[in-house]
């Protein structure tokens, strides 16, 4: 780990602040990834590419943010296999020493630091051929898109108001410091936004254009546009959010992943029967496209994901919910939250009621033992799945919000309807009818809650949309198994913004006095 500390002062800051950050999901930045280097040996275009794969893509890890989002909101309830892990977060005891908050900060800045180092080393390299020159620009484009994504993640969790360009954002770091003597203040959102836009513009002009040979595990033009669409949605620039989301729909070459076929030649027509379950839930032969996407048997509608080989490095995303397997006997750390479960399980003829819930839950539904099966594992590992960072359904939701803001309620309803139709295995869901902005946003928020569950959206969605939609966080009283009053964060709570980690405050004098409101 010495090399990591030398080149990632953010980890050094964590060390200076104690071990709280290092005890939570530390493998997201302590494991040396395949191909990982530290910059000294980048002297060729091939070396740049190896560094990009091993030390940029290899360290990118949004799992901690996704997990924190699930635990803090209404997505999960405590499981029978838990030893109390993260129950304090579930009960909204959030403070600057929280390990997962620190990991989100450290991981994103570590990746930013690696990108900055790659860009600095690239200045010393001259491509020898036209092919190398193209590869050179592609590598820099992919790296800068990843950096833009990391800054978007940081803004999402640590900026109090992304729609206010003058609000305080995060630190802007454009170089790769080689020691721990670093001081950087937080800057306004606008400064960060200008930097993100510059990175995305460069990336869009230099990465691989979306096409038949595009690999979903590497940045391409659709990935860049997906980042831009989410970024502009969060900052309230709805015309640009619409433009970039539409570009993804038009140019990505992918479509919404469908529910059908829901039966095959061996399982018969009895959906939910033992024979059907055995075939449908097979790790190697699941036949429904939506299930195959979650079992990593095919890419489906994934625009960009992080490859998690079995075995391999990177967090095993399923392990945070089910220790061993996604079954009732698999060491269940967290069940589905009761009301979240009700939202998707009550939908007639909806593939998600099967894709999200393991059938071993069925004898125990009255006890609210709703085993999470959205991350069922893959062949060779019962807990490892690729991390789906951007999916096409999110682009439909972004277009729906943009339509609402433009007063086009029918258009917004149509975008939501298209997702629901794709998830229905029989019949046609009733098309929603929106009569006001509040009605529209309530339904959009409901569909985002179902479709994007456990993918890191619910926390920011409640912050962005709950008040406008006339709803709040929606925990059930049964979501705490010890009888603790399962509280919902009220709309507008300062806890919808995470605190700047104590380790950073302690180690970085430039950020002193810039803690987020409500935290000490």
């Amino acid at each position: 780990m010495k090399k990591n500390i030398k080149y990632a002062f953010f980890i050094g800051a964590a060390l200076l602040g104690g071990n709280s950050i290092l005890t939570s999901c530390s493998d997201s930045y302590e494991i040396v990834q395949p191909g990982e280097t530290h910059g000294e040996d980048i002297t060729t275009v091939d070396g740049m590419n190896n560094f990009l794969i091993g030390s940029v893509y290899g360290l990118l890890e949004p799992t901690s943010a996704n997990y924190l989002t699930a635990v803090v909101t209404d997505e999960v309830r405590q499981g029978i296999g838990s030893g109390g892990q993260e129950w304090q977060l579930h009960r909204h005891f959030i403070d600057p020493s929280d390990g997962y908050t620190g990991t989100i900060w450290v991981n994103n800045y570590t990746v930013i630091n690696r990108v900055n180092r790659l860009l600095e080393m690239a200045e010393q390299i001259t491509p020898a051929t036209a092919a190398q020159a193209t590869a050179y620009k592609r590598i820099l484009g992919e790296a800068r898109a990843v950096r833009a994504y990391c800054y978007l993640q940081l803004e999402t969790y640590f900026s109090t108001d992304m729609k206010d360009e003058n609000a305080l954002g995060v630190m802007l770091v454009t170089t790769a410091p080689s020691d721990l003597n670093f001081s950087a203040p937080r800057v306004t959102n606008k400064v960060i936004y200008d930097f993100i836009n510059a990175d995305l513009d460069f990336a869009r002009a230099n990465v691989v254009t979306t096409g038949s040979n595009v690999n979903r595990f590497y940045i391409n033009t659709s990935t860049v546009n997906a980042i831009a669409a989410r970024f502009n949605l969060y900052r309230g620039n709805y015309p640009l959010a619409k433009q970039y989301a539409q570009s993804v729909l038009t140019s990505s070459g992918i479509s919404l992943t469908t529910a059908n076929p829901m039966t095959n030649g061996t399982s018969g027509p009895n959906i939910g029967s033992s024979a059907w379950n055995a075939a449908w839930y097979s790790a190697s032969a699941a036949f429904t496209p939506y299930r195959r996407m979650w079992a990593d048997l095919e890419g489906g509608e994934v625009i960009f994901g992080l490859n998690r080989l079995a075995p391999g490095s990177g967090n095993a995303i399923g392990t945070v919910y089910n220790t061993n397997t996604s079954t009732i006997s698999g060491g269940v750390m967290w069940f589905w939250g009761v009301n979240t479960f009700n939202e998707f399980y009550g939908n007639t003829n909806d593939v998600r009621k099967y894709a999200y819930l393991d059938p071993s839950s069925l004898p125990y539904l009255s006890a609210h033992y709703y085993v999470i099966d959205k991350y069922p594992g893959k062949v060779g590992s019962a807990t490892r799945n690729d991390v789906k960072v951007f999916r096409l359904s999110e682009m439909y939701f972004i277009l729906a919000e943009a339509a609402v803001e433009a007063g086009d309620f029918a258009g917004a309803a149509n975008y939501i309807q298209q997702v629901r139709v794709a998830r229905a295995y029989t019949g046609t869901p009733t098309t929603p009818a929106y009569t006001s902005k509040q009605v529209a946003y309530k339904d959009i928020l409901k569909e985002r809650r179902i479709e994007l569950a456990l993918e890191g959206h619910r926390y920011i969605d409640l912050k962005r949309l709950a008040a406008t939609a006339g709803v709040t966080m929606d925990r059930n009283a049964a979501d705490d198994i010890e009888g603790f009053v399962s509280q919902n964060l009220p709309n507008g709570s300062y806890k919808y913004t995470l605190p700047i980690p104590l380790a950073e405050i302690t180690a970085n004098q430039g950020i002193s006095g810039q803690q987020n409101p409500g935290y000490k």
Side-chain angles (χ1 to χ4, degrees):
M1 182 139 175
K2 290 181 179 178
K3 287 185 177 180
N4 284 10
I5 294 174
K6 179 179 179 181
Y7 291 116
F9 59 92
F10 309 101
I11 296 177
L15 290 171
L16 290 174
N19 66 1
S20 61
I21 291 177
L22 299 182
T23 60
S24 180
C25 276
S26 57
D27 59 338
S28 67
Y29 52 86
E30 285 185 330
I31 289 178
V32 176
Q33 306 289 352
E36 183 180 345
T37 62
H38 300 279
E40 303 97 325
D41 55 351
I42 301 178
T43 59
T44 66
V45 174
D46 284 343
M48 290 172 56
N49 197 59
N50 290 337
F51 186 90
L52 174 71
I53 294 171
S55 295
V56 177
Y57 283 119
L59 293 183
L60 193 60
E61 187 58 81
T63 299
S64 292
N66 295 3
Y67 179 57
L68 178 142
T69 288
V71 171
V72 169
T73 66
D74 46 23
E75 292 189 321
V76 296
R77 75 183 292 261
Q78 297 151 350
I80 54 175
S82 175
Q85 293 89 338
E86 290 75 63
W87 285 12
Q88 81 285 354
L89 276 180
H90 189 61
R91 294 168 179 171
H92 300 144
F93 293 107
I94 305 171
D95 63 57
S97 65
D98 170 66
Y100 278 90
T101 295
T103 298
I104 295 169
W105 182 272
V106 167
N107 179 257
N108 283 288
Y109 272 118
T110 299
V111 175
I112 289 169
N113 191 40
R114 295 299 173 87
V115 172
N116 292 343
R117 180 156 297 278
L118 174 60
L119 300 182
E120 290 176 0
M121 297 302 295
E123 293 178 359
Q124 311 303 317
I125 299 171
T126 301
T129 67
Q132 284 190 2
T134 299
Y136 178 92
K137 290 183 178 179
R138 172 191 59 78
I139 292 164
L140 297 185
E142 291 181 35
R144 290 183 65 171
V146 170
R147 184 169 66 178
Y149 168 76
C150 288
Y151 271 118
L152 174 56
Q153 285 287 92
L154 289 164
E155 286 283 301
T156 297
Y157 288 93
F158 296 101
S159 174
T160 56
D161 184 2
M162 290 187 69
K163 291 185 177 180
D164 181 0
E165 290 192 339
N166 295 317
L168 203 57
V170 294
M171 304 183 304
L172 179 65
V173 184
T174 61
T175 60
S178 59
D179 56 47
L180 302 182
N181 298 319
F182 177 82
S183 177
R186 296 173 69 183
V187 296
T188 64
N189 286 338
K190 186 179 187 309
V191 173
I192 300 295
Y193 293 171
D194 289 346
F195 196 73
I196 290 174
N197 277 324
D199 273 351
L200 293 177
D201 287 343
F202 180 89
R204 194 175 292 108
N206 290 285
V207 300
V208 174
T209 302
T210 306
S212 59
N213 295 322
V214 165
N215 187 325
R216 69 182 182 276
F217 300 124
Y218 296 94
I219 301 288
N220 56 62
T221 51
S222 288
T223 314
V224 176
N225 288 330
I227 297 170
R230 184 189 292 177
F231 165 55
N232 282 290
L233 180 77
Y234 287 1
R235 66 181 295 201
N237 191 328
Y238 298 101
L240 281 181
K242 175 182 177 179
Q243 173 186 322
Y244 290 119
Q246 189 61 57
S247 293
V248 176
L249 264 61
T250 302
S251 304
S252 65
I254 60 177
S255 57
L256 288 169
T257 303
T258 61
N260 286 311
M262 282 291 282
T263 61
N264 66 6
T266 60
S267 65
N270 298 318
I271 296 173
S273 67
S274 296
W276 183 86
N277 283 341
W280 200 85
Y281 288 96
S282 169
S284 60
F287 48 84
T288 298
Y290 194 72
R291 175 67 174 184
R292 289 180 65 81
M293 176 180 69
W294 289 108
D296 300 336
L297 296 171
E298 56 189 44
E301 66 182 48
V302 176
I303 301 166
F304 175 64
L306 301 175
N307 194 4
R308 295 293 180 257
L309 299 175
S313 57
N315 287 342
I317 192 169
T319 305
V320 297
Y321 304 109
N322 304 292
T323 307
N324 301 306
T325 62
S326 56
T327 64
I328 194 68
S329 60
V332 180
M333 302 288 285
W334 297 93
F335 291 118
W336 284 110
V338 174
N339 291 341
T340 296
F341 165 81
N342 290 337
E343 288 287 6
F344 69 79
Y345 198 76
N347 286 348
T348 304
N349 302 330
D350 192 320
V351 68
R352 292 170 294 192
K353 71 188 298 180
Y354 297 105
Y356 289 5
L357 184 75
D358 188 79
S360 63
S361 306
L362 298 179
Y364 309 101
L365 293 186
S366 61
H368 307 304
Y369 288 3
Y370 309 139
V371 179
I372 294 169
D373 203 34
K374 191 170 184 177
Y375 300 108
K378 62 174 67 183
V379 177
S381 177
T383 60
R384 296 182 66 80
N385 280 109
D386 300 337
V387 181
K388 286 75 174 170
V389 182
F390 288 95
R391 292 194 295 117
L392 199 65
S393 54
E394 183 190 352
M395 300 300 108
Y396 279 85
F397 299 150
I398 291 172
L399 289 168
E401 288 193 44
V404 170
E405 292 298 324
D408 181 10
F409 295 151
N414 178 61
Y415 288 122
I416 297 300
Q417 177 69 353
Q418 289 185 66
V419 176
R420 289 175 178 166
V421 167
R423 305 301 181 245
Y425 58 87
T426 61
T428 302
T430 302
T431 302
Y434 302 151
T435 56
S436 68
K437 187 173 182 178
Q438 183 181 76
V439 170
Y441 270 126
K442 183 176 181 179
D443 196 53
I444 291 169
L445 188 57
K446 173 183 177 179
E447 193 60 31
R448 287 182 66 97
R449 179 184 188 180
I450 297 171
E451 177 64 24
L452 303 177
L454 307 186
E455 296 179 63
H457 294 269
R458 183 66 172 166
Y459 180 77
I460 184 63
D461 282 353
L462 288 169
K463 179 179 180 178
R464 293 187 309 112
L465 300 178
T468 304
V471 301
T472 63
M473 188 182 291
D474 183 31
R475 283 185 178 175
N476 189 283
D479 281 354
D480 191 299
I481 64 175
E482 290 193 332
F484 185 87
V485 177
S486 192
Q487 298 179 354
N488 293 298
L489 284 180
N491 293 341
S493 171
Y494 71 88
K495 292 184 179 181
Y496 275 118
T497 303
L498 295 182
I500 305 303
L502 178 61
E504 190 68 54
I505 295 289
T506 302
N508 177 4
Q509 294 303 307
I511 209 170
S512 178
Q514 292 185 314
Q515 182 58 272
N516 279 325
Y519 298 104
K520 296 181 180 179

